Amino acid sequence: MKISLKYLLGGALIGFVLLLAAFSSWPDGKLHLVFCDVGQGDAIYVRTPNGEDILVDGGPNEKVLGCLGKHMPFYDRKIELVFLSHPQADHLNGLNSVLERYNVDYFISSGTEGKGEEYKKLMDLIKNNKIPLKKEAAGEKILLDNLSFLVLWPSTQVLGAQTSQTDLNELSLVLELTYNQFNALLTGDAGQDVQQEIRNQESGISDIKVIKVPHHGSKTSLLSSFLEQIKPKLAIISVGKNSYGHPTKETLGILRDKDIRILRTDEDGEIEIVSDGEKWWRKN
């Protein structure tokens, strides 16, 4: 049977394109920290210097899949770590779509219980896919590929004292991501009260390069004295169209008064920060 030359050339071209795509997605030895544009919610993708994948929250819908598809190699269907900061819809719902399409090695949360069908579906997916579920509290450190995630909040005491009336925002995982000289503070929706508690614990965190502003820039999302302690250079607000007035003029004012650069997903779209462990920059 003769094979047409055009089919041979077409096959060779497809193979060449796939090869280029594979090389273009090869690990570059740098940390990539991507604040996905998922609307009024949070989803943060991390690619380690050696090409392993981490996701912190999944946003309110399937938009996170587009972010992952853009930044993960087409042949990579595994995410090494998934964090859920707290079980509310704008951080949780998109994780169901992620767990349906990707293999996940470990799922990490504070163990705070959620409500509703989406939360139940998430727990079922974790169980049915036999994903190890690890519950972490303040003081724990998770290490992967020269990166560390130090849990700053919540404490075991706070978790043990929670009731059905406890504000889930105040139980958000607060994580300090560190890669050599670069660090970022990922805050979930933990507001001023949590920031004061972290200050009281004398955690010693300071000179943060990037802070993810809690709760989409709500009125009580930032404590001025906390910012004075950690001294961030860049504040990123993950926010979409909303009826709450996020980000509020109060929060924007606090950041501007301290001369902290502001980027926001509703105006700037997806925001990618890259670091070689010493220098860091925004990828345009």
Side-chain angles (χ1 to χ4, degrees), residues 36-195:
C36 302
D37 181 10
V38 292
Q40 182 72 0
D42 277 18
I44 303 165
Y45 169 70
V46 182
R47 192 171 196 212
T48 74
N50 288 324
E52 296 187 288
D53 307 297
I54 302 165
L55 182 64
V56 182
D57 290 333
N61 49 46
E62 291 189 348
K63 289 186 72 174
V64 64
L65 296 178
C67 185
L68 295 177
K70 178 180 177 181
H71 293 280
M72 291 177 65
F74 68 89
Y75 53 82
D76 186 357
R77 308 306 299 173
K78 184 175 77 167
I79 299 175
E80 277 71 20
L81 289 177
V82 171
F83 290 88
L84 173 62
S85 65
H86 63 298
Q88 289 188 327
D90 55 338
H91 296 249
L92 178 151
N93 287 1
L95 293 180
N96 286 326
S97 300
V98 172
L99 267 60
E100 288 173 338
R101 292 164 176 80
Y102 290 87
N103 298 315
V104 174
D105 280 352
Y106 293 98
F107 192 100
I108 297 174
S109 76
S110 67
T112 302
E113 297 288 334
K115 298 178 180 178
E117 288 302 312
E118 291 296 325
Y119 176 75
K120 182 179 181 301
K121 180 180 178 181
L122 179 64
M123 292 298 103
D124 287 343
L125 283 167
I126 291 171
K127 180 180 178 181
N128 295 337
N129 292 335
K130 299 180 179 179
I131 302 170
L133 172 59
K134 297 188 175 295
K135 301 175 183 179
E136 305 288 8
E140 299 291 338
K141 183 177 287 188
I142 299 98
L143 303 174
L144 180 67
D145 187 17
N146 296 321
L147 268 64
S148 75
F149 289 86
L150 175 63
V151 182
L152 299 172
W153 186 263
S155 65
T156 54
Q157 292 85 354
V158 168
L159 289 169
Q162 67 180 294
T163 69
S164 59
Q165 304 303 313
T166 303
D167 183 354
L168 293 180
N169 290 332
E170 301 307 294
L171 297 176
S172 290
L173 280 177
V174 177
L175 304 168
E176 182 187 8
L177 183 163
T178 301
Y179 173 51
N180 294 337
Q181 302 303 309
F182 174 82
N183 57 3
L185 193 63
L186 310 180
T187 57
D189 281 348
Q192 293 176 347
D193 290 344
V194 169
Q195 292 161 38

Side-chain angles (χ1 to χ4, degrees), residues 192-237:
Q192 293 176 347
D193 290 344
V194 169
Q195 292 161 38
Q196 184 59 55
E197 290 289 342
I198 293 174
R199 290 190 73 234
N200 291 342
Q201 293 170 4
E202 298 182 356
S203 62
I205 62 167
S206 62
D207 297 320
I208 293 290
K209 308 303 185 294
V210 177
I211 181 173
K212 200 286 297 183
V213 174
H215 206 193
H216 326 295
S218 70
K219 186 176 180 179
T220 59
S221 65
L222 286 175
L223 186 67
S224 181
S225 57
F226 184 67
L227 291 178
E228 290 170 5
Q229 175 185 327
I230 66 174
K231 300 179 176 61
K233 305 297 186 296
L234 171 64
I236 294 179
I237 305 175

Side-chain angles (χ1 to χ4, degrees), residues 229-284:
Q229 175 185 327
I230 66 174
K231 300 179 176 61
K233 305 297 186 296
L234 171 64
I236 294 179
I237 305 175
S238 185
V239 65
K241 184 178 180 180
N242 66 90
S243 59
Y244 308 107
H246 298 162
T248 63
K249 61 182 181 181
E250 290 87 354
T251 291
L252 294 174
I254 289 172
L255 292 168
R256 289 168 180 153
D257 287 346
K258 298 187 181 308
D259 200 27
I260 299 169
R261 184 186 178 193
I262 302 168
L263 293 174
R264 39 193 286 190
T265 57
D266 62 335
E267 294 182 347
D268 300 289
E270 179 183 279
I271 300 163
E272 181 174 0
I273 305 300
V274 183
S275 176
D276 61 7
E278 295 182 5
K279 300 185 296 295
W280 62 280
W281 58 94
R282 180 190 178 190
K283 183 177 180 180
N284 296 315

